[in-house]
Amino acid sequence: MSAQVVGWPPIRSYRKNTLQAKKYVKVSTDGAPYLRKIDLNNCKCYPDLLKALENMFKFTIEREGYNGSEYSPTHEDKDGDWMLVGDVPWNMFVNSCKRLRITKGSEARGLGCA
């Protein structure tokens, strides 16, 4: 009787490197019945992320704070806390973000400095 081979078929090294370079997180938005994913490593800063989310969901997010904006992007960190996108430095955000949620602006009050 032979032992079961774990991890078969083997993943080639170039595919391992490609998979490790991705940082996909789920993105949900109020009123949408489905989730999407975004690769945070494709974005270099918060304005890039906001632009990608705007293109994904076809709406506009105010750049200078979220006061008065119809939509507010929030994220869940590794501790399970929900915060406004932009409250922490970019590198910390990329490393700790588990998922994104775009809420109506009125629902995001109290999360940040609104």
Side-chain angles (χ1 to χ4, degrees), residues 21-25 37-43:
K22 303 291 183 186
K23 171 68 173 158
Y24 284 105
V25 294
K37 287 185 180 181
I38 190 167
D39 182 9
L40 294 179
N41 288 333
N42 284 342
C43 304

Side-chain angles (χ1 to χ4, degrees), residues 19-37:
L19 292 174
Q20 290 174 354
K22 303 291 183 186
K23 171 68 173 158
Y24 284 105
V25 294
K26 291 181 182 177
V27 182
S28 64
T29 187
D30 289 350
Y34 50 85
L35 299 175
R36 295 191 182 184
K37 287 185 180 181

Side-chain angles (χ1 to χ4, degrees), residues 63-81:
R63 298 283 195 261
E64 297 299 322
Y66 304 121
N67 290 336
S69 179
E70 187 177 350
Y71 297 98
S72 298
T74 59
H75 77 280
E76 182 182 16
D77 66 6
K78 290 181 180 179
D79 298 328
D81 298 326

Side-chain angles (χ1 to χ4, degrees), residues 2-13:
S2 64
Q4 181 181 3
V5 178
V6 177
W8 189 259
I11 298 175
R12 302 208 186 274
S13 61

